[in-house]
């Protein structure tokens, strides 16, 4: 079935299947409008009543080519006006209000960090990517520019080394400016049960998972407070909601991250700064392959997810980008799970 999709700057037609899968193939409009980063809103209206559906925001959109909602292709290249179908979808491109904002994304050489960096690039942010592997980072920075980043920079950092984090902060201030958006992301600590861990494991887990996030915030927060604007998003794990015996270090230190973020969110809420966490579920990365090494284990892990599949890194980026936006100014102190329904906790 075909659905009419109205964009803020163009009108396009897409298959429902294409919409669900984010494929741009059926889109008829400017190439940069392929991005499905806006909100998909179902028009409110009843079939047969003649009622003109309204956007959920209460505003009617006029497209850049002059077509109003309710108009359809007449088959001759023009537009005809008729009653909108009650199942028409409106895809309204939201202005995230972060163009030229300096956004630091750590752990950005691959996986969720990379996906988040590219999502922010698509919104016109000045994207700064950091991780250990500079070659991969430079490729991400190059792609960020192609996606629409106002500018992109890549710097190496070792998140287990406090001095490396301090040097990163100083370098960014000197070469780029003040960090206004921080996506704190790091690789997961060593898996294992409590009885399998040694004191050095706890030390490394603390430095990489908790201390690194706190030190990154210390580098960015003063400028955010001075400007009365900032966005901090910490990528954690669903282990903060349901601790896993096989992931003792992650369950411990990521829960501490959430506690620190919650207290900080309260402290800076009136200063135009939001602080949130994403509790990531099972996502197709080398880290997950480390946890589920055989095909049987992988299939079992996938079967436990109500959605019936392992997530792709790109499925995390849209929500992270929204939390960094101007419209998300009232969302703070939250830990939001993206896990295909895996966690059974109420909160």
């Amino acid at each position: 079935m075909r659905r009419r999709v109205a964009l803020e700057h163009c009108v396009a037609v897409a298959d429902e299947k294409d919409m669900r899968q984010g494929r741009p193939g059926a889109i008829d409009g400017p190439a940069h409008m392929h991005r499905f980063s806006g909100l998909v809103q179902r028009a409110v209206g009843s079939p047969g009543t003649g009622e003109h559906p309204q956007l959920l925001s209460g505003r009617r959109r006029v497209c850049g080519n002059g077509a109003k909602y309710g108009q359809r292709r007449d088959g001759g290249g023009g537009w005809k006006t008729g009653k909108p179908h009650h199942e028409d979808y409106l895809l309204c491109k939201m202005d995230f209000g972060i163009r030229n904002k300096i956004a630091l994304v750590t752990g950005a050489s691959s996986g969720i960090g990379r996906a988040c960096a590219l999502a922010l690039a698509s919104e016109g942010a000045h994207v700064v990517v950091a991780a250990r592997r500079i070659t991969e980072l430079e490729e991400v920075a190059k792609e960020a520019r192609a996606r629409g980043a106002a500018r992109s920079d890549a710097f190496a950092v070792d998140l287990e080394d406090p001095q490396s984090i301090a040097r990163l902060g100083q370098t960014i201030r000197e070469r780029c400016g003040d960090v206004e958006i921080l996506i704190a992301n790091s690789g997961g600590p060593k898996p294992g049960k409590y009885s399998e861990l040694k004191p050095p494991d706890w030390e490394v887990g603390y430095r990489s998972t908790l201390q690194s996030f706190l030190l990154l915030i210390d580098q960015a927060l003063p400028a955010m407070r001075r400007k009365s604007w900032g966005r901090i998003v910490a990528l954690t794990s669903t282990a903060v909601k349901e601790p896993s015996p096989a992931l003792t270090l992650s369950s411990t230190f990521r829960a501490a991250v959430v506690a620190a973020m919650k207290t900080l969110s309260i402290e800076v809420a009136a200063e135009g700064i939001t602080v949130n966490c994403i509790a990531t579920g099972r996502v197709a990365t080398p880290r997950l392959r480390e946890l589920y090494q055989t095909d049987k284990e992988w299939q079992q892990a996938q079967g436990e997810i109500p959605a019936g599949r392992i997530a792709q890194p790109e499925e995390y980026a849209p929500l992270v980008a929204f939390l960094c936006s101007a419209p998300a100014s009232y969302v703070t102190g939250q830990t939001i799970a993206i896990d295909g329904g895996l966690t059974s906790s109420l909160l």
Side-chain angles (χ1 to χ4, degrees), residues 178-190:
D178 296 325
V179 172
E180 297 159 290
I181 297 170
L182 171 62
I183 309 297
N185 174 50
S186 69
K190 177 182 178 179

Side-chain angles (χ1 to χ4, degrees), residues 79-117:
W79 296 92
K80 62 181 180 180
T81 302
K83 297 178 182 178
H85 193 281
H86 74 288
E87 289 186 342
D88 280 357
Y89 285 92
L90 297 179
L91 181 59
C92 303
K93 185 180 180 301
M94 177 181 289
D95 181 2
F96 277 13
I98 57 174
R99 182 166 296 278
N100 296 313
K101 296 283 188 185
I102 298 177
L104 170 60
V105 184
T106 62
S109 59
S110 63
I112 299 176
R114 175 183 178 276
C116 291

Side-chain angles (χ1 to χ4, degrees), residues 32 37 52 99 109 138 179 191 229 294 313 337:
H32 68 274
S37 60
H52 193 298
R99 182 166 296 278
S109 59
E138 289 173 345
V179 172
W229 198 96
T294 68

